[in-house]
Amino acid sequence: MRIAIASDHAGLALKKEISEGLVALQHDLQDLGTYDNSSVDYPDFASQVARAVRDGQVELGVLVCGTGIGMSIVANKYRGVRAALCTTEFEARMSRAHNDANVLCMGERVIGPGLGRAIAEAFVSTAFEGGRHQKRVQKIADAEAENSRS
Ligand code: RB5
């Protein structure tokens, strides 16, 4: 699967850990930064991954910052992006199965590296269930369209 990943400086170490796990699972991973510990602004990196998902360049995105909160706020501003902030494997699975989430957000200051890696692996290996959830996801798109008209 094509996956874009990015972090700010506060999520760099967890991004590296997650990347190792996703590459080991044979995913086609695009690392969109940041690449060192210099202080950067999380919206710049959330936007890059969100655009890649919105434009269909990748199927899924992963974003890491200190808490994951800033990344999720920014990513959810982009059309067609459904970003889920997850702290457990259960949330990650449910966000894919029920919400068809296409961007996973996590916080390096919230979860440990082992859990972060497990959450990411659960996220990318769970499929959307469709069925009764499809019309609910459509309603998310409807709300997005309504917002862009106003
Ligand atoms: C950076 O200090 C921190 O604010 C950022 O990584 C993130 O946690 C924001 O939501």
Side-chain angles (χ1 to χ4, degrees), residues 8-10 42 65-67 69-70 109:
D8 68 358
H9 54 287
Y42 62 83
C65 63
T67 60
I69 295 170
R109 295 172 180 162

Side-chain angles (χ1 to χ4, degrees), residues 68-124:
I69 295 170
M71 290 296 200
S72 62
I73 291 171
V74 176
N76 277 315
K77 300 293 182 193
Y78 284 79
R79 177 177 45 77
V81 169
R82 292 175 297 279
L85 173 56
C86 297
T87 58
T88 66
E89 290 175 68
F90 176 73
E91 290 169 317
R93 282 196 304 275
M94 294 303 286
S95 75
R96 291 283 306 125
H98 286 195
N99 311 113
D100 199 15
N102 48 20
V103 175
L104 169 66
C105 301
M106 286 180 286
E108 183 182 319
R109 295 172 180 162
V110 181
I111 56 175
L115 179 57
R117 188 164 165 160
I119 288 171
E121 291 173 9
F123 185 82
V124 303

Side-chain angles (χ1 to χ4, degrees), residues 17 21 43 49 61 64 94 96 100 106 114 117 135 140 146:
E17 180 74 30
V49 167
V64 190
M94 294 303 286
R96 291 283 306 125
D100 199 15
M106 286 180 286
R117 188 164 165 160
K135 76 174 196 292
I140 298 172
E146 175 190 319

